[in-house]
Every structure is written in C-alpha cells, then in structure tokens.
Amino acid sequence: MSPQVVVEAPGTHRVEPHTPREPGPGEALVAVHAVGICGSDREVYQGNRPEGYVRYPLTPGHEWSGTVRAVGAGVPGSLAGRKVVGEGFRNCQVCDRCHAGETTLCTDGYEETGFTQPGAMAATLTLPARLLHVLPDDADLTAAALLEPAACIAAAALKGGARPGERVAVVGTGTLGMFAVQFLRAVSPAELLVVGTRNDREELSRRFGATDFRTRDQELPDDVDVVVETAGSASAARTAASLLRRGGRLVLTGIPAPGAEGLDPTGLVVRQLEVHTVFGAPPDAWAHAVRVFGAGLLDPLPLVTHELPLTEFPRAIELVGAGDPKVGKVLLHP
C-alpha cells in the first residue's frame, strides 16, 4: 500500500499505509504527485507553530500538485483526470470577508490543509473541489508543486500594483524572493533590484530577470516605486522601507520572530508610504499564479534542489532546517 506521514505530536511521527477517502458531495479525490516542505512544516514537526494554527495528530503538506482521480456529487465530472493544485485555507464562503474575496481573513476561524486538516503527505488528498485550480494539460507537476508559495507572492505582486516602467525591488533571495523577481519582471519594470545577504544568489536573481543585485552592506537607492519584502526579518523590513521613494508602495510577506522591532511609524507617515501585508493567498492570487505559470512566465524548477520519497520525511525536515545554502526547495513524492 502507499504510505502517508502522520505527525502524532511535536517530534513524533510515523509512516503508515494510506487509505484514500472517497470524495463526498462537493469534494474531489486527488492523486498527489509531489508535496513541498517549507519552514511551517518544520514548525509543525518541532511543535513551535502558534497555538490554534495546528491540530495533532496530523498529516502535513500544504504545497502540492496532483491529478484528480474522482469527484463527489455536485462536482463536474470533467474535472476527473485534470492536473490541479489547490488552495489551503478552508474558508466558510458566507462571511463578509469571504464574500469580498478575502478568504484568508475568513471570520469563521482558521482551518487549513496540512495544519488543521489532512494534508498532502500521502498518496491521495480529498478536499473541497472549489479549492482546486486546474492546470494546463501539459503542465509539469513537479514544478507546479511550488505554486502554493508562488500564489502567496502573487498576492504580494497584486497588492504592490507595479506598473510597466516603474522601478521595483525585492528584499530576500529565498524561494519567495525568487518568485517575487519573476512576478515583477512580468510587468516590464524599468529596473528590478534584488537585495539579499548572499552573493551566490546573484546569478539566479539575474536569470529570473533582476537588472541589479546588491547586498545590504552596499550602497542602496532610496527612490524605488514598489518593494516586496520576502526575507522574514525585522531588519529586512526596515531595509525594504528605506529603498522607497516618498509615496512608494511596500509589501511585507515575511513573519519575523516574536518581539522583533518593527518599522518606524513616524517615517511611514512623513514619507507617506503605502504598506501592505500578505498572509496566505486568496483565490484571485491563486488564479494569477496559475495563469502566469501556464503562460511560461514563472519557472519554479530551478528552485528545487532535492526530491525524495515520502518515506524520507525526517531527512527532508532536516534538510530544510540545516541552513545549508545549497539546499533550496525540497519535494517529497508519495
């Protein structure tokens, strides 16, 4: 039988046989092709994810791709056989925020695939069909497994509203930063600066469309129109704000450690900066990510450095937390 990973409690897991759950009304059964590991999966395993944002025992896995094998009552039969990715937030769809399209702000409480609901570290995943986004028939499902983090950055790109000919910048050179470079490149900026801490990321940044690369200890501009921060530290947020012209637009996607000192509110007000934040991706951001991916403007594959069988879950978690600059995105295959 095919395996699944179950995290019983922080630091404790097992790999056991997986039994698919047949889809009920409004649901779809997806055969998982690949599932990505991110820092939040490591938090689940270590037990330091914030209270209320995880429920044990749990099958993790919120970054995934697959193929629909069966659908339940009320779901179009034409969905069967299609390649898909899926949103993680299990929103209620009836509160005012959901009706406004802001499903990540659902007022009915937090529920998410791979954290409080069964995730994709298994041979199959059964979930509401309304969360699925259909991919082109020729889509590379290994690359598509990274569309969840890409959708979060698509949300940032939409909020930043960069226009052709503007000067834009990305702070952070990890997976999210490299996605941000690609989304911003797609709007034809006049300049696209990447600011990081590692010189070894310059080549990849330029490959994805950066016109300039600098580390934070180098001289930096202060007249950028739009900056997307992806590094997840308070110092990165401050650097991002310092790059902007007066009236510029800042989008923060990283989550610093608790107690971190934030941005200077006086500077934000006097410089009239427009500040946005992103936590998760609503449907329009998912649709944008899938559209850009389908158009060939988003290339996730260079970010994947390790592909392992699902049974090597412990090694995958170790790789993600090792701090090795040679480790990029780690994927598991059921």
Side-chain angles (χ1 to χ4, degrees), residues 167-171 191-196 211-227 236-246 271 273:
R167 302 182 68 202
V168 300
V170 175
V171 176
E191 298 176 30
L192 174 45
L193 167 67
V194 174
V195 178
T211 60
D212 192 4
F213 181 95
R214 304 185 196 182
T215 54
R216 290 192 217 170
D217 57 353
Q218 293 180 295
E219 183 179 355
L220 298 173
D222 61 1
D223 56 355
V224 176
D225 296 294
V226 179
V227 179
R238 290 191 288 271
T239 296
S242 72
L243 297 174
L244 287 163
R245 63 168 173 79
R246 296 190 65 194
R271 296 173 61 209
L273 298 185

Side-chain angles (χ1 to χ4, degrees), residues 76-277:
S78 59
L79 193 60
R82 299 302 304 273
K83 295 178 179 179
V84 295
V85 290
E87 299 175 34
F89 283 80
R90 305 291 187 93
N91 49 83
C92 74
Q93 292 216 303
V94 296
C95 71
D96 62 340
R97 291 301 88 205
C98 284
H99 281 305
E102 298 174 340
T103 53
T104 59
L105 298 176
C106 177
T107 60
D108 193 44
Y110 171 80
E111 295 285 347
E112 186 175 4
T113 299
F115 297 108
T116 64
Q117 297 290 331
M121 290 189 192
T124 69
L125 173 65
T126 302
L127 74 168
R130 61 180 172 79
L131 299 177
L132 299 179
H133 289 260
V134 177
L135 301 171
D137 290 339
D138 61 351
D140 184 327
L141 284 177
T142 299
L146 275 68
L147 285 179
E148 192 278 340
C152 295
I153 295 302
L158 291 172
K159 287 191 174 184
R163 295 180 285 271
E166 287 193 312
R167 302 182 68 202
V168 300
V170 175
V171 176
T173 59
T175 297
L176 298 183
M178 294 301 95
F179 278 138
V181 173
Q182 295 182 69
F183 277 109
L184 291 175
R185 177 193 60 182
V187 301
S188 300
E191 298 176 30
L192 174 45
L193 167 67
V194 174
V195 178
T197 58
R198 293 167 43 189
N199 283 308
D200 63 328
R201 299 297 274 184
E202 179 173 1
E203 181 180 353
L204 189 59
S205 297
R206 291 187 181 276
R207 174 178 171 181
F208 284 142
T211 60
D212 192 4
F213 181 95
R214 304 185 196 182
T215 54
R216 290 192 217 170
D217 57 353
Q218 293 180 295
E219 183 179 355
L220 298 173
D222 61 1
D223 56 355
V224 176
D225 296 294
V226 179
V227 179
V228 176
E229 176 276 326
T230 67
S233 69
S235 62
R238 290 191 288 271
T239 296
S242 72
L243 297 174
L244 287 163
R245 63 168 173 79
R246 296 190 65 194
R249 307 186 295 283
L250 172 64
V251 187
L252 303 174
T253 71
I255 303 178
E261 294 185 4
L263 301 174
D264 176 12
T266 300
L268 297 179
V269 174
V270 171
R271 296 173 61 209
Q272 300 184 61
L273 298 185
E274 186 177 314
V275 181
H276 300 273
T277 60

Side-chain angles (χ1 to χ4, degrees), residues 35-38 63 303-308 315-317 319-320 327-332:
V35 56
I37 303 282
C38 87
E63 303 177 1
L303 302 174
V304 178
T305 59
H306 294 75
E307 296 183 63
L308 305 171
R315 184 184 171 210
I317 290 293
L319 283 169
V320 170
V327 176
K329 201 64 184 178
V330 178
L331 299 182
L332 295 175

